[in-house]
């Protein structure tokens, strides 16, 4: 009488196959998470660049008020000049402050702990230099370059 062995997989083979599958799926998940973090960081950089581009377009109009804005931005909270956006008459300082408050609110909404800094290197007039910096906390998955913050900085000659 012939004995035939049953066809199938042993428990050891099934466990090894499941371990290989778990390792493969785990590495795929890590890759997807890494890509997701990089996409999120790219979005954050895009939002910071958007504000910097707006600043580059708007701030030359208010070049004489930049020294004043620098002293105002160092003393939070800033006054909200929403009436300037509603078409009421505003002087250049009020309008510049309205822009600054708008940018700060936009960054706070779109970036974790996002805010912008303004610093003049030398006089805030022609011949000086203006440093614009957008900072935010973006997680530890990508190293932060600015004292523990992620940042985008623009040094701009006046």
């Amino acid at each position: 009488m012939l004995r035939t062995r049953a066809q199938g997989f042993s428990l050891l083979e099934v466990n090894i196959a499941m371990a290989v599958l778990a390792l493969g799926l785990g590495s795929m998940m890590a890759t997807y998470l890494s890509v997701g973090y990089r996409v999120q960081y790219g979005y954050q950089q895009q939002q910071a660049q958007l504000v910097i581009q707006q600043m580059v377009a708007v701030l030359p109009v208010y070049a004489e008020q930049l020294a004043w804005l620098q002293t105002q931005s160092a003393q939070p909270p800033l006054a909200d000049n929403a009436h300037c956006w509603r078409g009421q008459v505003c002087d250049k300082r009020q309008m510049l402050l309205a822009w600054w408050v708008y940018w700060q609110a936009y960054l706070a909404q779109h970036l974790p702990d996002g805010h912008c800094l303004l610093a003049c290197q030398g006089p805030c007039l022609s011949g000086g230099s203006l440093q614009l910096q957008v900072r935010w906390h973006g997680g530890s998955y990508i190293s932060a370059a600015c004292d523990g913050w992620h940042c985008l900085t623009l040094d701009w000659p006046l």
Side-chain angles (χ1 to χ4, degrees):
M1 177 169 192
L2 273 163
R3 284 189 157 184
T4 58
R5 189 170 166 196
Q7 297 286 330
F9 298 105
S10 71
L11 184 57
L12 179 61
E13 291 170 327
V14 170
N15 283 339
I16 290 173
M18 291 198 44
V20 168
L21 182 64
L23 286 173
L25 289 175
S27 65
M28 281 180 25
M29 189 65 157
T31 301
Y32 284 128
L33 284 174
S34 174
V35 168
Y37 290 145
R38 293 198 182 280
V39 166
Q40 181 182 22
Y41 183 70
Y43 169 79
Q44 292 170 346
Q45 281 189 314
Q46 182 182 27
Q47 295 305 309
Q49 287 174 349
L50 177 68
V51 170
I52 292 282
Q53 287 173 348
Q54 287 178 356
M55 288 178 165
V56 167
V58 169
L59 290 180
V61 175
Y62 304 101
E64 295 86 30
Q65 287 77 29
L66 290 175
W68 173 81
L69 179 63
Q70 183 182 11
T71 63
Q72 295 298 308
S73 64
Q75 304 168 7
L78 294 171
D80 184 12
N81 288 328
H83 64 278
C84 292
W85 299 117
R86 291 190 294 257
Q88 296 179 1
V89 177
C90 292
D91 64 17
K92 282 192 166 190
R93 283 186 177 183
Q94 291 172 323
M95 196 64 219
L96 179 58
L97 191 57
W99 273 108
W100 188 258
V101 169
Y102 167 77
W103 290 321
Q104 293 289 15
Y106 183 88
L107 291 171
Q109 181 181 5
H110 290 87
L111 298 175
D113 297 324
H115 63 278
C116 52
L117 303 171
L118 170 96
C120 291
Q121 311 297 324
C124 266
L125 299 171
S126 182
S129 174
L130 179 67
Q131 185 182 61
L132 302 171
Q133 186 175 77
V134 175
R135 292 179 155 210
W136 70 96
H137 284 122
S140 60
Y141 46 87
I142 296 178
S143 62
C146 300
D147 301 325
W149 293 82
H150 294 286
C151 68
L152 183 64
T153 304
L154 174 68
D155 288 320
W156 187 18
L158 296 174

